[in-house]
Each structure stands twice: as structure tokens, then as C-alpha cells.
Amino acid sequence: MKTTVQTLQGSRIGHFIDGAFVAPRAGVYAPSYDPTTAEPWYEFAQGDAGDVDAAVRSAKAALLDPAWRRMTQTDRGKLVRRLGELVLAHAEDLAQLECRDNGKLIKEMRAQMRAIPDSYGYFAGMADKLQGDTIPVNKLDTLNFNLREPIGVVGMIIPWNSPLMMLTGTLAPCLAIGNTVVVKPSEHATASALALAELVIEAGIPAGVVNVVTGDGATTGDALTRHPGIAKYVFTGSTDTGRKIAGNAAGNLVPCQMELGGKSPHVVFSDVDIERAVNGVVSGIFAAAGQTCVAGSRCFVEAPVYERFVEALVERTRRVKVGHPLAEDTDIGPLALAAQLEKVEHFVGSGVREGARVAVGGRKPQDEALARGWYYEPTVLAEARNEMSFMRHEIFGPVVGVMPFSSEDEMIALANDTEYGLASGIWTRDIDRAMRFARNVEAGTVWINTYRSAAFMSANGGTKKSGYGRRGGFEVMREFSRLKNVVIDYSGAMQDPFVIRLR
Ligand code: NAD
């Protein structure tokens, strides 16, 4: 794997098309910034419509090439498994890349690199288990069956938070099915997708099956989502961008899978162990500096324990260590980009103006060593109200609003009073209540007495403005394959050509 922190430093990197790095046709590059210093550290190709077209053509040619098309499912599965093994073999280099590119914690990235190979292994095992079915139609001497086939060239647009993990969730099943792909990583975290593309070739997957075009959303992403050669899009990112992509895709009548933003409710009842619930809430909002789609950013606490809970949350939050992402004892690294830091500052400011109280945090860390980076202290805004601006918009930063509630009905109304519907969490010992919450909350995922407990074996995704379509489990295999219905008449009988055969 040539793409490492050491080789990238101070250099330029092109797109990965048809199994090799290529320079952008227009010769334009853009800087990638190190979030710990706000300084550029390498340049990536800024793709235009011509680059995107070359990548889609490469993927289309690979789709039709017998080397991929006529490969048995079992052999395809072996290659997908091999790709996972290579990720494990290069885990440290990949983890370092993610840290440097977007400020992810080294300890979290090492853990992700250990989990990602399992995900490739899981979907590799499904390659030869995707099957159609025979349909008992009411016609004699007729065999009617469904074939499951690859859908075609899949366009994948991914965000900067945990890019390799996000990519794996759909790349692994897409490859297992026999699709080919064009990936556009985020302009804020380009390197790991390019490194993975190298491993794809090393695994023995034919050139052109996986292509990576880099660049920003407005140019490269827009060109990809307008390209007529794409059969389906998978997008992970913000709701606003999702709207644009779905609009472009509609122009070509192409379906999308949308994994969008969230403003997830995290509920605490007074019957729980407060320390445990506090820990869950901290993990739900401050992990990855709040830059997770499932962040539990609206915390609703039952009134009798509200004061005690806020006190305990503040005390635990003070112990969260903000620091350099490469330090083993760091809990929160920097935000991945300058605009993200500005957004956090904006919403904390508006929250205070609207009457919330900064219980802890609410500023950049005072540590001189962190002064140049895009760091922000974990922040608890108490006495929040659901109608406050910071409680309505996805911040994607380490900010949680906490407010009391008095009844279960009120809590459900508050939890659902949002345009989003991605994740939700509840802490209670009352199983009946927990199940009522699970039934009534408008969210794709419900966590009971836990939070951010992810698994690639179970299907997950959003409702409302958090998106549509599901990833994980066998569900994703259905989403990225297509049914074809085949009918065989073995009666040998002559039919009246002007009468449709209904029986
Ligand atoms: P973003 O929407 O700004 O960008 C995501 C990707 O879309 C990037 O690759 C970007 O270049 C591209 N893009 C931007 N504008 C485009 C356009 N007009 N046409 C085509 N592509 C375009 O999101 P982000 O800031 O990178 O990531 C954060 C967002 O992602 C948050 O809203 C977060 O909730 C969401 N997210 C959701 C999930 C999920 O599973 N639901 C997971 C991770 C992140």
C-alpha cells in the first residue's frame, strides 16, 4: 500500500481509475488540511465531469467483463474476504491515515480497523447465499422464477466521519453481489478510500471494479450524481446534500439509498442508575467529538432526577480529555474542519441567547498546545427547550442540550418533535415503558440501556429527514441487487397471440 501518511506528506495524489492512479484531466488539485494544525499536508485531485466519466466508464467495462461478470459467487466471496484480510494487515497505516486526515482518535481507528475485516468477512459469506425464488403461478407447464442480479455501477458518496467504516458498509455487500463502483470520498478525508482502492487490486479484484474519484461536492459530486451510467446511489452525509443528490438522481430516474443527518433523542428515567445513564449520554454525544450521525444531542431527563443528572453529567464531562488524536489518553480530538468549529460556536451562542445555560464547556480549550487546531470543549447546555435553534439543527459537534420532562406522553411528543428520525436511546428499568418507547419513537434505531451499539449484522437506517433504505444484515444485499423475473413455458402448446394468458 503506497498511500500512507509518510508518502502523502507534502505530495500530490490522483484519482484511482481502472486499477491505477491517474492525474486529473484538468490538472487541478486541492489541499487537504490537518485538523490538529489547520495546515495543508497533501493535495488531492479535484475531479471534473471528464474524470467522473472516465471512472464510470471503467466501472461499466468491469461490470461487463467476464473476469468479474462470469466469476463464480464463491470466488467473488473469497476476494471480498481477502480484501478484509488486507485491511487487517495494513490496519495501523490505515488508522494513522484516518487520524491525520480528519482528526479521528487513534484508539478508535485501531478498533475500527479490527472490526472492518469482520464486516468484509460477513458479506463475503453472503456472496453465494443470495438466491432468487420459484413462484407457484396458476399456469400449468410453466416455470416462473426470480433471478437476483447485480444492480450495475453503484455511485458511492461518503462523508468524512469514519470514512472507511462508512464505505465498507456498502462496498463489501456491493462487491459480494457483483456490482462495480465509483466512490467519491469527502474532500475532507480523501486518503483512506484511495489506500483501500490499492488493496482492492492487491486482493485480486479486477481493475475497474472499484474506482475512486476525488474532489468537492459541488463539482465532482454533482457530476457523479448527474451521470447517466450509474444504476444506484448510496449517499451518506447531510440532509441538505441528500436533497440535491436525490434531485440529480431523479433526472436519470435512478434510485438512491440515503443515510442522512440526525437530532437524536436520548431519554433518562428516574428509575435508573444515574452514573450508568450519564456514561451512556456522554458516549452518545461526545464520542468522536459529536461528529456522529447518531449523536444523542437532545437529552430528556425525568423531572425528579433532572438536577442530580445535570450535576453528574457536568462532573463526568469535566473528566473528558480533549487532546491530540494520536495520544492514547485522548477522549476527544479536534473537529474535522474549520467550518464545523464555526458551526458549533454559532449554535452554542444562539443557545445561550435563547436562554440555555452553559453548564460546562462552551469554548475552545485553553491548553496552548491545542490552540492552532479545531478543538472545542465538550459542552452541556442545561435548561434547554426543544424549540431552541440548537435543539432543532444538527450541529455535528460535542454539544448536548438537556431538559426535564414530566410524563411519558410529554417525553414521546418531545422526542418526535424533530424533522429527523435516525437513532434514539432510553434508560429505564421498566421494560414495558422501554417497549412503549421503542414502538412510538420515530427513529430507525432504538437503543435501550445502551447507546452507539452498532453491528453490521443488523439493518439500520433513518426515517423522516434522516433518509431511507437500510444497511447491514441481509437487507443490504437485497437493496443492491435486482430481481429479474423469468418465465418458461414447457407445454409446447400453440397460444392465441391476441389473448393475454392469465391462466
Ligand atoms: P456533506 O453532506 O457535506 O458531504 C457528504 C459528501 O457529499 C461529501 O463527499 C461531499 O463532497 C458530497 N457532496 C456535497 N455536496 C454535494 C453535491 N451537491 N452533490 C454531490 N455530492 C455532494 O456531509 P459531511 O459534512 O461530509 O458529513 C456530515 C453529515 O453526514 C452529517 O449530517 C451526518 O449526520 C451525516 N452522516 C450520516 C450518517 C448516517 O449513517 N446516517 C453517517 C455519517 C454521517
Side-chain angles (χ1 to χ4, degrees):
M1 196 179 84
K2 285 187 236 132
T3 312
T4 63
V5 169
Q6 291 73 27
T7 55
L8 273 183
Q9 178 70 52
S11 73
R12 280 184 161 176
I13 191 160
H15 307 299
F16 196 90
I17 298 176
D18 203 18
F21 283 105
V22 293
R25 289 167 185 229
V28 181
Y29 290 83
S32 188
Y33 293 90
D34 177 342
T36 64
T37 60
E39 306 218 331
W41 71 286
Y42 72 96
E43 288 187 339
F44 59 87
Q46 172 61 44
D48 61 13
D51 297 319
V52 166
D53 187 52
V56 177
R57 281 173 192 277
S58 159
K60 187 76 189 183
L63 185 76
L64 300 177
D65 189 336
W68 185 243
R69 190 184 175 89
R70 307 265 310 147
M71 186 181 286
T72 67
Q73 310 83 297
T74 305
D75 286 344
R76 231 174 26 232
K78 282 181 190 160
L79 297 186
V80 175
R81 189 180 302 280
R82 174 83 188 118
L83 177 56
E85 287 162 2
L86 287 172
V87 169
L88 193 60
H90 294 275
E92 185 58 24
D93 278 340
L94 290 167
Q96 296 277 350
L97 262 186
E98 299 270 53
C99 292
R100 187 68 189 277
D101 224 11
N102 64 357
K104 297 294 289 186
L105 297 190
I106 190 72
K107 64 181 175 189
E108 193 193 354
M109 288 305 97
R110 285 182 180 138
Q112 281 191 10
M113 294 312 144
R114 283 194 302 275
I116 285 173
D118 290 345
S119 184
Y120 280 105
Y122 176 79
F123 289 108
M126 287 190 182
D128 52 12
K129 292 167 194 70
L130 186 65
Q131 59 189 43
D133 39 19
T134 341
I135 296 124
V137 289
N138 56 358
K139 290 181 178 65
L140 296 176
D141 302 327
T142 298
L143 179 60
N144 183 318
F145 60 95
N146 285 331
L147 290 176
R148 272 217 178 255
E149 299 187 326
I151 203 163
V153 179
V154 178
M156 297 184 172
I157 300 173
I158 53 172
W160 42 263
N161 62 329
S162 302
L164 267 193
M165 206 175 74
M166 293 292 149
L167 180 56
T168 299
T170 41
L171 182 65
C174 275
L175 294 179
I177 292 163
N179 294 304
T180 61
V181 306
V182 176
V183 181
K184 197 212 78 67
S186 165
E187 58 274 39
H188 306 295
T190 287
S192 59
L194 291 166
L196 188 80
E198 285 189 67
L199 297 183
V200 164
I201 298 298
E202 201 180 325
I205 293 170
V209 170
V210 175
N211 305 274
V212 180
V213 201
T214 60
D216 66 18
T219 317
T220 323
D222 187 69
L224 181 58
T225 54
R226 289 178 193 278
H227 199 290
I230 300 288
K232 183 161 185 169
Y233 290 101
V234 33
F235 172 66
T236 311
S238 62
T239 298
D240 284 347
T241 307
R243 258 188 211 106
K244 288 183 198 155
I245 290 175
N248 286 354
N252 287 317
L253 286 178
V254 169
C256 301
Q257 190 196 66
M258 291 278 165
E259 297 269 338
L260 309 176
K263 196 72 200 173
S264 300
H266 204 158
V267 177
V268 179
F269 273 88
S270 50
D271 61 353
V272 293
D273 174 346
I274 293 289
E275 293 307 314
R276 203 166 153 235
V278 161
N279 223 47
V281 168
V282 163
S283 140
I285 184 63
F286 297 141
Q291 300 169 112
T292 63
C293 49
V294 294
S297 49
R298 294 182 301 137
C299 182
F300 303 112
V301 183
E302 204 177 12
V305 289
Y306 175 76
E307 298 296 339
R308 189 150 70 86
F309 180 87
V310 171
E311 240 173 66
L313 180 61
V314 167
E315 190 277 323
R316 179 67 186 84
T317 302
R318 285 195 207 286
R319 288 190 282 119
V320 172
K321 171 110 172 54
V322 183
H324 196 283
L326 287 176
E328 283 285 347
D329 63 343
T330 294
D331 295 318
I332 294 191
L335 294 154
L337 40 148
Q340 220 32 60
L341 177 61
E342 282 163 23
K343 194 172 179 188
V344 169
E345 286 173 331
H346 164 80
F347 278 112
V348 171
S350 78
V352 171
R353 283 193 299 281
E354 289 173 51
R357 171 175 67 84
V358 178
V360 62
R363 58 182 189 175
K364 279 178 67 61
Q366 306 302 292
D367 183 350
E368 251 322 290
L370 306 179
R372 284 195 306 153
W374 299 317
Y375 295 90
Y376 199 81
E377 286 189 353
T379 299
V380 175
L381 293 181
E383 281 79 84
R385 289 193 315 278
N386 218 25
E387 63 273 18
M388 289 176 174
S389 163
F390 83 97
M391 293 284 273
R392 306 215 72 83
H393 292 92
E394 184 185 43
I395 302 178
F396 222 55
V399 182
V400 63
V402 194
M403 63 173 287
F405 68 86
S406 303
S407 71
E408 205 176 303
D409 286 348
E410 183 197 3
M411 176 276 291
I412 279 288
L414 287 166
N416 290 341
D417 178 22
T418 168
E419 63 172 358
Y420 295 107
L422 193 57
S424 61
I426 184 168
W427 295 81
T428 179
R429 288 196 189 128
D430 182 337
I431 188 66
D432 299 355
R433 173 193 281 152
M435 282 311 300
R436 280 195 296 275
F437 179 76
R439 286 280 192 191
N440 293 322
V441 71
E442 294 163 356
T445 298
V446 182
W447 282 305
I448 299 172
N449 296 334
T450 183
Y451 206 87
R452 282 182 93 232
S453 176
F456 48 78
M457 296 89 170
S458 61
N460 56 70
T463 60
K464 294 158 81 176
K465 300 289 187 292
S466 291
Y468 45 85
R470 289 293 178 269
R471 287 186 200 171
F474 206 77
E475 200 58 36
V476 71
M477 299 293 281
R478 292 194 192 94
E479 293 236 357
F480 288 96
S481 59
R482 187 164 30 215
L483 277 186
K484 182 182 276 173
N485 185 236
V486 183
V487 183
I488 304 173
D489 181 332
Y490 55 91
S491 69
M494 190 70 72
Q495 305 295 334
D496 180 339
F498 302 105
V499 177
I500 186 166
R501 253 187 95 203
L502 293 171
R503 289 184 69 89

